[in-house]
């Protein structure tokens, strides 16, 4: 039923989603506001595939076939006949809402709309459309071609049929899904992750252990691949701050308030791996804990 997929936003997530969709046989239209982002996305997919070819796990022919399945576009009208939209643009509710209102006018009535938002309300995004029953969250994790889980999130009006179709798409990508039955800020994975962040700040502020030892506690004691401070650096301290602020605002619960220590590192511009410094100083040779 789903053959042609529109992926909107060619950043870290959109690139990975377009890659795995094309790899699993879907025709993809990858959209962004500027060709610069689209060229970067195709280059990055080529780099990933070249590494696989060098390892002998992929062939040049497979690569040509995969890249040939991704059409790039800066014009939303090119999405008019897709069967599924996966929106992966910046995490801003007003910009996403405006985009879905435009898509409502462009796409055929049967098209299913999905958002890759990390925390935001699917019900609110669906209110921009006349098809809230055909809209759901489809939350991939980074890097999308590798990570096995996709959260399928029900908005207030999402139909059972929409959830069934999206679960089937996830299965066809060789991934597994969980169903988030209620549209709640942070859904499941990010809510659990942010809880770990909050508690890590309390342990730090109470002087119970250092940043390094809190990370070590999670990696060596609980077998997590990264401790909370390393994970914040990896995904971006600004993102951690904005996400906590969104939870705090949406849930109106004081215990979600972003900790002052997090605000201080963000104000200091120590955003994490993307700039070489965060809780750790990677430029000075700190290693991931
Ligand atoms: P990013 O900043 O790397 O990429 C966003 C892309 O969207 C940019 O290329 C930008 O030019 C494009 N864009 C912005 N407005 C647009 C518009 N109106 N139309 C078309 N393209 C537009 O962001 P990233 O990290 O890929 O995140 C995208 C979404 O995925 C966000 O909602 C984020 O919360 C979510 N997400 C991010 C994860 C991560 O680890 N980075 C993990 C899971 C979800």
């Amino acid at each position: 039923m789903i053959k042609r997929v529109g992926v909107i936003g060619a950043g870290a997530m959109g690139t990975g989603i377009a890659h795995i969709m094309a790899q699993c046989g879907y025709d993809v239209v990858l959209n962004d506001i500027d060709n610069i982002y689209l060229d970067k996305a195709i280059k990055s997919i080529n780099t990933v595939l070249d590494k696989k070819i060098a390892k002998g796990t992929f062939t040049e022919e497979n690569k040509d076939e995969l890249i040939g399945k991704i059409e790039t576009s800066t014009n939303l009208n090119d999405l008019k006949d897709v069967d599924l939209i996966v929106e992966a643009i910046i995490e801003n509710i007003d910009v996403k809402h405006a985009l879905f209102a435009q898509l409502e006018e462009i796409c055929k009535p049967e098209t299913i709309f999905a958002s890759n938002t990390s925390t935001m309300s699917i019900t609110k995004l669906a209110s921009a459309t006349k098809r809230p029953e055909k809209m759901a969250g489809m939350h991939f994790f980074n890097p999308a071609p590798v990570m096995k889980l996709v959260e399928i999130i029900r908005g207030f009006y999402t139909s059972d049929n929409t959830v069934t179709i999206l679960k089937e798409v996830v299965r066809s990508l060789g991934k597994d899904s969980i169903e988030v039955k209620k549209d709640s800020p942070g859904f499941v994975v990010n809510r659990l992750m942010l809880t770990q962040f909050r508690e890590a700040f309390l342990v730090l502020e109470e002087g119970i252990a250092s940043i390094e030892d809190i990370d070590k506690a999670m990696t060596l004691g609980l077998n997590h691949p990264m401790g909370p401070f390393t994970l914040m650096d990896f995904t971006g301290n600004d993102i951690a701050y904005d996400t906590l602020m969104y939870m705090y605002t949406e849930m109106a619960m004081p215990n979600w308030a972003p900790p002052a220590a997090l605000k201080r590192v963000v104000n200091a511009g120590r955003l994490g791996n993307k700039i070489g410094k965060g809780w750790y100083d990677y430029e000075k040779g700190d290693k991931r804990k």
Side-chain angles (χ1 to χ4, degrees):
M1 183 171 175
I2 306 285
K3 290 197 165 74
R4 199 166 156 80
V5 179
V7 178
I8 312 186
M13 292 310 293
T15 301
I17 295 166
H19 174 160
I20 187 66
M21 289 280 184
Q23 187 167 308
C24 295
Y26 293 96
D27 292 319
V28 176
V29 184
L30 179 61
N31 175 282
D32 206 300
I33 45 179
D34 196 293
N35 276 315
I36 294 174
Y37 306 110
L38 295 166
D39 294 346
K40 200 171 150 214
I42 297 297
K43 205 171 153 201
S44 130
I45 297 173
N46 268 298
T47 307
V48 172
L49 296 179
D50 285 341
K51 283 188 190 150
K52 287 172 92 175
I53 292 170
K55 276 196 210 151
T57 56
F58 219 68
T59 64
E60 283 289 347
E61 295 75 57
N62 294 150
K63 180 173 117 173
D64 292 345
E65 197 183 332
L66 191 160
I67 298 287
K69 282 192 160 291
I70 306 176
E71 179 187 326
T72 56
S73 164
T74 54
N75 184 348
L76 285 180
N77 287 316
D78 292 334
L79 300 164
K80 64 179 187 306
D81 61 355
V82 299
D83 307 306
L84 167 67
I85 292 278
V86 183
E87 168 276 309
I89 69 166
I90 47 167
E91 188 77 338
N92 177 306
I93 194 110
D94 296 329
V95 180
K96 285 184 192 283
H97 197 266
L99 175 66
F100 279 111
Q102 269 182 290
L103 291 170
E104 176 62 38
E105 301 303 318
I106 292 168
C107 295
K108 54 187 181 179
E110 313 84 85
T111 306
I112 290 179
F113 288 174
S115 173
N116 186 51
T117 176
S118 305
T119 44
M120 293 180 167
S121 168
I122 302 302
T123 309
K124 168 86 181 161
L125 294 177
S127 73
T129 77
K130 296 187 190 90
R131 62 184 88 190
E133 74 290 352
K134 292 200 183 72
M135 167 113 192
M138 195 178 190
H139 184 207
F140 290 79
F141 296 86
N142 195 9
V146 176
M147 297 294 281
K148 286 286 172 219
L149 185 73
V150 179
E151 286 181 312
I152 307 288
I153 302 119
R154 280 181 185 270
F156 194 84
Y157 295 106
T158 309
S159 69
D160 290 346
N161 190 40
T162 299
V163 171
T164 304
I165 291 169
L166 292 180
K167 280 185 179 171
E168 182 52 32
V169 172
V170 170
R171 201 199 52 75
S172 74
L173 300 176
K175 298 186 186 296
D176 210 340
S177 59
I178 58 166
E179 183 180 329
V180 181
K181 295 181 184 176
K182 282 186 198 165
D183 184 15
S184 173
F187 315 128
V188 174
V189 173
N190 280 343
R191 183 156 164 184
L192 297 178
M193 180 187 74
L194 292 165
T195 306
Q196 187 205 116
F197 290 176
R198 265 187 348 192
E199 211 53 38
F201 280 110
L202 288 179
V203 171
L204 182 70
E205 281 161 17
E206 289 172 25
I208 296 168
S210 66
I211 287 175
E212 288 80 1
D213 281 354
I214 294 169
D215 276 352
K216 208 191 270 184
M218 295 304 276
T219 53
L220 301 187
L222 288 177
N223 229 4
H224 284 211
M226 291 179 213
F229 292 97
T230 303
L231 183 55
M232 274 183 261
D233 275 353
F234 182 69
T235 49
N237 290 311
D238 50 339
I239 311 272
Y241 180 84
D242 290 345
T243 315
L244 275 165
M245 188 54 100
Y246 183 80
M247 302 283 288
Y248 174 56
T249 315
E250 287 292 306
M251 294 182 109
M253 281 159 67
N255 57 353
W256 285 109
L262 180 58
K263 180 73 179 169
R264 274 196 296 276
V265 291
V266 173
N267 283 346
R270 296 181 68 116
L271 304 184
N273 296 32
K274 57 189 162 191
I275 67 119
K277 279 193 189 83
W279 297 104
Y280 298 100
D281 193 334
Y282 304 97
E283 287 168 347
K284 282 198 184 148
D286 280 353
K287 297 270 184 316
R288 267 164 57 165
K289 297 286 183 299

